[in-house]
Amino acid sequence: MERSSGLSNGREGSEADFSMITLRPLELSDIDDFMVWATDEKVARFCTWEPHASKEEGLNFIKNVVLPHPWFMAICLENRPIGALSVTSNSGNDRCRGELGYVLGSRYWGKGIVTQAVKLVADIIFKERTHLERLEALVDVENVGSQRVLEKAGFQREGVLRKYIILKGRSRDMVMFSLLSTDWQT
């Protein structure tokens, strides 16, 4: 299923029109587009994964991680994946929360694309998963761009979780952001 943001980025005079970002499931046939960002060290810097070293490694990731994931979508421009996002649900007493993650090819950074995609996800996920009361995202304290994305999308910065995760061999401080279903106006 393809979903369009219908959101304007206010850059009608720019080279490309980013107002019609769409979301759809990432497929094995998207491997060439996927490899553009999945092999980029700049993109992987704040991710839990290392850049993929081969097309075979990328295909295995799509087969074993992406396809079985219940909510993993490609961020598309003209139906070509330029990034991805996911919402991971919790269970038991934590089922009211979902964790948002996203990645975007570095050539598209700073254009408002992920902000649009995150707004679209919030609009969709709170309708699809009516039990979900909170969408949260953890961002490395040094990833200022990603923090801006969430703030522009309406998320609230809740605080810094010190030495929260070991990422690429170092313990890292993470900023917790959240958006409540009651905060979100559709």
Side-chain angles (χ1 to χ4, degrees), residues 4-25:
S4 172
S5 71
L7 301 170
S8 173
N9 66 358
R11 299 177 186 209
E12 285 73 24
S14 62
E15 284 180 30
D17 180 10
F18 299 113
S19 65
M20 292 307 294
I21 299 302
T22 57
L23 302 179
R24 67 165 173 78

Side-chain angles (χ1 to χ4, degrees), residues 128-141:
E128 283 184 1
R129 298 184 179 171
T130 55
H131 66 281
L132 200 65
E133 296 179 42
R134 173 187 170 94
L135 190 57
E136 59 189 29
L138 287 165
V139 180
D140 192 292
V141 293

Side-chain angles (χ1 to χ4, degrees), residues 126 132-134 179-186:
F126 287 131
L132 200 65
E133 296 179 42
R134 173 187 170 94
L179 180 70
L180 302 182
S181 58
T182 54
D183 297 337
W184 188 246
Q185 303 296 323
T186 59

Side-chain angles (χ1 to χ4, degrees), residues 14-178:
S14 62
E15 284 180 30
D17 180 10
F18 299 113
S19 65
M20 292 307 294
I21 299 302
T22 57
L23 302 179
R24 67 165 173 78
L26 188 70
E27 301 166 353
L28 286 171
S29 60
D30 294 319
I31 187 63
D32 291 333
D33 293 318
F34 170 81
M35 292 302 287
V36 171
W37 79 81
T39 59
D40 187 337
E41 289 187 21
K42 291 182 294 200
V43 172
R45 177 178 175 205
F46 295 111
C47 296
T48 56
W49 45 269
E50 295 294 336
H52 294 285
S54 69
K55 197 171 188 174
E56 181 181 351
E57 193 177 308
L59 284 167
N60 286 335
F61 180 81
I62 294 172
K63 284 180 203 170
N64 299 323
V65 176
V66 173
L67 296 179
H69 195 288
W71 217 95
F72 193 107
M73 298 284 177
I75 302 170
C76 296
L77 182 61
E78 297 176 1
N79 203 38
R80 292 194 66 180
I82 59 171
L85 29 62
S86 65
V87 176
T88 303
S89 293
N90 293 304
S91 59
N93 292 337
D94 296 325
R95 69 185 173 277
C96 62
R97 296 186 289 119
E99 185 172 341
L100 174 68
Y102 48 85
V103 62
L104 185 71
S106 59
R107 74 177 273 209
Y108 297 100
W109 291 356
K111 300 180 187 309
I113 293 170
V114 176
T115 301
Q116 288 180 290
V118 168
K119 287 178 179 180
L120 183 55
V121 167
D123 192 39
I124 295 165
I125 206 73
F126 287 131
K127 290 176 184 171
E128 283 184 1
R129 298 184 179 171
T130 55
H131 66 281
L132 200 65
E133 296 179 42
R134 173 187 170 94
L135 190 57
E136 59 189 29
L138 287 165
V139 180
D140 192 292
V141 293
E142 292 181 11
N143 193 345
V144 176
S146 191
Q147 292 177 48
R148 277 196 307 266
V149 162
L150 293 167
E151 288 167 348
K152 288 179 182 178
F155 281 65
Q156 288 189 20
R157 179 187 176 111
E158 294 186 332
V160 175
L161 303 172
R162 300 179 309 151
K163 306 291 184 199
Y164 186 76
I165 189 172
I166 305 284
L167 186 63
K168 307 206 171 150
R170 282 181 50 209
S171 61
R172 306 292 302 163
D173 295 348
M174 302 295 280
V175 183
M176 174 65 82
F177 285 87
S178 72

